[in-house]
Amino acid sequence: MDAAIHNARRRRNALATAAAFCATGIGLAGLAMILIVLFWEGFSGLSLAVFTEMTPPPGSAGGLLNAIVGSILMTVIAIAIGTPVGMLAGTYMAEYGRHEKLSSVVRFINDILLSAPSIVIGLFVYEVMVVPMGHFSGIAGAVALAVIVIPVVVRTTEDMLMLVPNTLREAAASIGLPRALMIRHIAYRAARSGIITGILLAIARISGETAPLLFTALNNQFYSHNLNAPMSSLPVVIFQFALSPYEDWQKLAWTGALIVTVSVLALSIVARALTATRKAS
Amino acid sequence: MVVDVTWQGARVGAQDAAERANALRKLRLADVLFHAVTRSAAIFVLLLLGGVMVALLLGALPALTTFGFDFVTTQSWNPVTEKFGALAPIYGTLVTSLIAMAVAVPFGLLIAMFLTELCPMWARRPIGIAIELLAGIPSIIYGIWGLFVLAPFLQQYVQPALIATFGEVPVLSSLFAGPPYGIGVLTAGLILAIMVLPFITSISRDVFDAVPPVLKEAAYGLGCSTWEVMRHVVLPYTRVGVIGGVMLGLGRALGETMAVTFVIGNAHKISSSLLAPGTTISATIANEFTEAVGDLYTSSLIALGLILFVITFIVLAIARYLLLRIERKAG
């Protein structure tokens, strides 16, 4: 009887353990396979032309220059708009309003914005910018991306400022430093690498975003840095080219996907390294 | 700079009292100003969410007033006759997310169990980091992989086998009926599962790690097996956190656009077969928005967005609430 129970328990444990091993194996293998296929297909289409030529019409060779430039331009503007707003809001929540009701409400709403469907953000910016302006534009795309940047930066700024030891603040106050200066010269400096990490993660997040650009920046087959006109971007080009029946376009889509993935991974790794050295020191 | 002035002022004594008072006033003003600026930035974040709500409501108003409650209960989606019903996309969104959760939750929990209890110490960090990096890969990558790799694979090997196996079984036969297209509801659900897996894994691992070691050691000390510790100590202790993590993953799956749009097939009809093409709310918007002619068509698509936003808002709010409870308990 006891032996039977003992054996049953052992069997069940062996089964569960095996399932956990298998799940990890399958999960990691599946995710690795995605990366392997991506690198294989992406590298086979990689050439200098990808970075120097425009997106081609179907059936001819070309590159992704206009899409790359568009993506970089919109990302830079989105960060330029989103970072200050996000940092200031995060500063309020961690410094001035740490114990206020407003802060906890903003924290809750911010967390929801953080994982809100990005296509809804696209619809929102379409309503408030594209409709009044009367046409799609690069600046609308940048604003849509900025709306995605803000919650990321708010979250990391607040978290990082919370980690700054209170003794630093008290020391600053004891020599008569007003709060605004204490925040700018002491708290920001102590939390700097963390905040930079947050910004890097925000860049990583938006550099692959497609849905909010579909009907704000639209797409543009030609080189353009006119923010008042439709603008091309890597993710949207990948979307369009991958679904097309033309082989050249599909190849470029894979190459574009590789570029996006490598930059996202590089950004995340740099961000991780920054926080790691901070913890070590 | 300003600080230096006050410093020197203090050192020299009451020599330049007026100057000192002036500097102090400036400092106070700067402080009040900075307080106000940061506070308004925080309020701006609130307004942003309100703005999204209002903009979507206003945009959806024409469709909602025209169709009323029928909008969410009818299936027809006809741009020619301008008859729009959201039932098919809502159904597709729910079913694909359900498939994704049914696959990703057991997998995620098992991987988290592996990482916290079974994995040798030296491998925990690298595997954990790899999973977190994968969580950051843009969804369009998963989409393009699904279209070119997963869909043909399912079409050639898995779907014919499913049809052959369940073709004769009642109930299941209607779930796996029809020709193997490759793309369709099942494929979209599986892609979503792969996409959500890293999220669920990393959150579950974090909450599993938060279990006080004493509890686990006590159970092991009584002679419990790894599985029994998981099942009777770790899971009950972390239940709320795990549910929160699952809901967070569900929120992602519901709102996910690009990974699904590639492989769903964009067909506005509800079919009982999981192999048939369908559509989801986000895929419909992504596919049709720029080509929508007529105010009612556009407005109907925005109304779809509103429905999606409301659904995900509720799911995410519950998720955050549950995770917040865990955090309070821990700290």
Side-chain angles (χ1 to χ4, degrees), chain A:
Chain A
M1 173 75 190
D2 271 2
I5 292 177
H6 180 68
N7 283 337
R9 285 179 57 205
R10 283 187 62 165
R11 236 184 348 260
R12 205 171 298 147
N13 188 47
L15 209 68
T17 315
F21 270 100
C22 286
T24 312
I26 295 172
L28 287 178
L31 293 166
M33 205 161 73
I34 294 181
L35 287 184
I36 290 169
V37 172
L38 175 68
F39 276 77
W40 183 261
E41 297 274 352
F43 269 117
S44 71
L46 205 60
S47 65
L48 196 64
V50 170
F51 301 100
T52 56
E53 287 174 28
M54 305 300 141
T55 48
S60 57
L64 295 165
L65 177 64
N66 47 340
I68 294 173
V69 170
S71 269
I72 293 176
L73 213 57
M74 284 192 282
T75 305
V76 168
I77 297 172
I79 293 294
I81 301 173
T83 309
V85 176
M87 267 182 73
L88 288 171
T91 305
Y92 177 78
M93 286 151 70
E95 299 287 344
Y96 286 111
R98 188 177 280 204
H99 303 292
E100 307 243 344
K101 187 120 186 83
L102 177 65
S103 295
S104 44
V105 175
V106 171
R107 191 173 306 128
F108 193 77
I109 294 297
N110 189 63
D111 278 352
I112 286 177
L113 274 176
L114 198 60
S115 25
S118 55
I119 194 156
V120 170
I121 308 288
L123 285 177
F124 165 63
V125 174
Y126 174 86
E127 281 285 297
V128 299
M129 283 193 73
V130 177
V131 172
M133 286 167 79
H135 56 85
F136 300 102
S137 64
I139 190 75
V143 169
L145 293 180
V147 175
I148 294 169
V149 168
I150 290 174
V152 182
V153 177
V154 170
R155 182 67 192 264
T156 43
T157 307
E158 194 207 355
D159 285 354
M160 290 305 143
L161 286 177
M162 287 288 200
L163 288 179
V164 175
N166 259 335
T167 42
L168 280 183
R169 295 196 178 90
E170 283 155 9
S174 73
I175 57 164
L177 208 58
R179 240 175 159 173
L181 287 180
M182 181 277 289
I183 293 169
R184 290 216 304 272
H185 294 291
I186 310 286
Y188 278 169
R189 196 161 294 180
R192 189 168 56 196
S193 66
I195 295 175
I196 292 174
T197 301
I199 296 170
L200 288 177
L201 288 178
I203 300 175
R205 171 86 198 274
I206 59 171
S207 49
E209 279 291 352
T210 320
L213 294 176
L214 285 175
F215 25 82
T216 49
L218 203 67
N219 199 352
N220 193 336
Q221 229 191 309
F222 305 104
Y223 181 86
S224 159
H225 49 250
N226 181 3
L227 285 170
N228 203 20
M231 189 176 269
S232 174
S233 65
L234 267 179
V236 175
V237 168
I238 296 171
F239 177 56
Q240 193 194 339
F241 281 17
L243 282 174
S244 76
Y246 315 110
E247 218 164 282
D248 298 324
W249 277 19
Q250 291 178 356
K251 230 178 172 47
L252 272 177
W254 275 112
T255 310
L258 178 72
I259 297 173
V260 169
T261 312
V262 167
S263 27
V264 168
L265 284 180
L267 281 167
S268 328
I269 290 170
V270 170
R272 203 163 276 279
L274 265 180
T275 36
T277 52
R278 183 167 172 276
K279 267 181 205 141
S281 61

